[in-house]
Amino acid sequence: MGGGALYDEALVWDQHGCLPLRPEASAVEELALYAESGVDFVSINVGMDSTPPLDTLKVLSAFRNGALQREDRFALVGSAPEVARAKAAGRLAIAFDLEGTEPLDGSLDLIQTYYELGVRTMLMAYNEPNRAGGGCHGDPEIGLTAFGRAVVKGMNRIGMLVDATHCSRRTTFDLFERSEAPVVLSHSVPVGVNKHPRNVDDEQMLACARTGGVIGINGVGIFLGDNDASTAALVRAIDYAVRVVGPEHVGLGLDFVFDRDELNAFIEANAATFPAGYGYTESGPMQFASPAQLPDVTSALVELGYSADAIRGILGGNFYRVASQVWC
């Protein structure tokens, strides 16, 4: 089967995308890019550790309302079968994620609240240490705190996907050990492709895979290396991860950012979260692989000799499997 036909029939799943973090229902219209690119599901970020909890809830509510106002195009989903039904109906399936646990404001009860509002994935710490654990730009030996362990237990109980992305190395292994359900690295690049503190090493990827999880490869140029977000750079990272953990544990989490001006302002206002020397500001305008590149990614994997089943898994089948196991 050629790349084009394979892409068209596959379930295509992007585990992390970034609309502007502003409470504007109309922002959801920008997600048309995913649908036009043949993507069937996307998880949209609605808040980070540095986002005040009330602001996070406002953004989440606005995005929900935007999707509900366009049910002809979008489907808010909470389970894997709902994703499949949305694809069959020609609608883009949407769920939400949190980059860090600070939006909980120290309250375990809010895990359930966010879940009921459509958040299906949450990572522990965004770059810096927080109340739950360590971040990738802090001490690598900071692990899960008592609060973090309680958060994992609560997420497992209700069926929210535990995400080890952007955490300290010790925290990632604590998550892999503590979680009773598969853990993912929703949008990460292997260190073997590019040595960056936000990237993950082979041991982390293997430990993630042992939980039954998936490493979603992101398309951010500074993490892929040389600020290169080309299809070739993205495929190189996918292929490296496959060689380490096998094709059944690799997926896509492009981390595509729609509003670059907002991102630049956010980086400037949060210097501790984005330390100097790591390419956040020194590499020129940050480059991002677009969902529109995914058909070419598929063709490139075909040319590398990947089987149709392996490609289907990478495009979305692997994250669909994990969602089927975790989401309630």
Side-chain angles (χ1 to χ4, degrees):
M1 182 181 291
L6 179 56
Y7 185 78
D8 289 342
E9 61 92 13
L11 188 150
V12 183
W13 184 298
D14 188 338
Q15 184 57 29
H16 187 69
C18 301
L19 287 174
L21 283 179
R22 299 187 293 271
E24 300 170 359
S26 61
V28 172
E29 292 293 334
E30 297 195 59
L31 297 181
L33 171 63
Y34 290 96
E36 293 163 0
S37 301
V39 176
D40 301 301
F41 169 87
V42 61
S43 179
I44 294 297
N45 171 244
V46 292
M48 304 180 183
D49 275 343
S50 56
T51 311
L54 181 57
D55 288 354
T56 296
L57 287 168
K58 288 179 179 178
V59 168
L60 174 53
S61 298
F63 290 176
R64 281 182 56 84
N65 289 337
L68 290 170
Q69 290 167 16
R70 293 303 309 270
E71 289 186 313
D72 58 321
R73 302 178 68 184
F74 307 121
L76 292 177
V77 299
S79 69
E82 288 175 345
V83 175
R85 289 196 290 271
K87 175 179 173 60
R91 300 159 71 199
L92 175 67
I94 301 168
F96 304 110
D97 62 67
L98 291 170
E99 291 200 86
T101 50
E102 284 303 298
L104 299 176
D105 199 28
S107 171
L108 296 173
D109 291 336
L110 280 179
I111 300 171
Q112 182 75 46
T113 301
Y114 280 116
Y115 184 87
E116 291 175 356
L117 291 173
V119 173
R120 287 297 181 270
T121 306
M122 180 166 61
L123 62 86
M124 287 296 114
Y126 185 81
N127 287 13
E128 294 184 277
N130 64 10
R131 282 177 272 194
C136 61
H137 286 319
D139 184 341
E141 293 306 313
I142 295 177
L144 278 179
T145 64
F147 177 68
R149 293 190 290 272
V151 169
V152 172
K153 185 176 181 180
M155 293 174 70
N156 285 167
R157 178 180 60 80
I158 68 169
M160 187 181 290
L161 189 56
V162 176
D163 188 353
T165 306
H166 304 335
C167 296
S168 70
R169 195 170 190 276
R170 169 72 182 278
T171 293
T172 65
F173 285 106
D174 286 350
L175 291 170
F176 301 143
E177 179 182 349
R178 283 276 174 177
S179 180
E180 296 177 356
V183 176
V184 299
L185 289 157
S186 65
H187 53 292
S188 296
V189 169
V191 165
V193 170
N194 180 42
K195 191 173 181 180
H196 191 285
R198 283 259 293 242
N199 292 349
V200 292
D201 62 36
D202 292 4
E203 290 182 357
Q204 289 171 291
M205 290 193 293
L206 286 165
C208 177
R210 284 193 290 269
T211 73
V214 175
I215 298 93
I217 304 301
N218 79 44
V220 184
I222 64 169
F223 307 134
L224 291 169
D226 298 325
N227 201 17
D228 179 5
S230 65
T231 296
L234 182 57
V235 170
R236 183 168 61 248
I238 292 170
D239 187 55
Y240 182 94
V242 167
R243 292 175 186 275
V244 174
V245 298
E248 66 274 20
H249 295 290
V250 179
L252 301 166
L254 292 184
D255 199 7
F256 183 77
V257 173
F258 283 86
D259 189 334
R260 310 296 166 81
D261 289 338
E262 180 187 65
L263 172 64
N264 293 335
F266 184 75
I267 290 173
E268 184 176 349
N270 294 274
T273 305
F274 303 97
Y278 294 133
Y280 296 114
T281 58
E282 301 92 347
S283 301
M286 207 178 299
Q287 300 300 306
F288 295 86
S290 167
Q293 293 171 226
L294 294 179
D296 290 338
V297 168
T298 304
S299 296
L301 293 175
V302 170
E303 291 175 6
L304 286 175
Y306 278 64
S307 71
D309 284 346
I311 295 171
R312 289 189 192 98
I314 293 165
L315 288 175
N318 295 333
F319 271 123
Y320 184 87
R321 179 190 70 241
V322 172
S324 299
Q325 294 173 300
V326 177
W327 294 353
C328 298

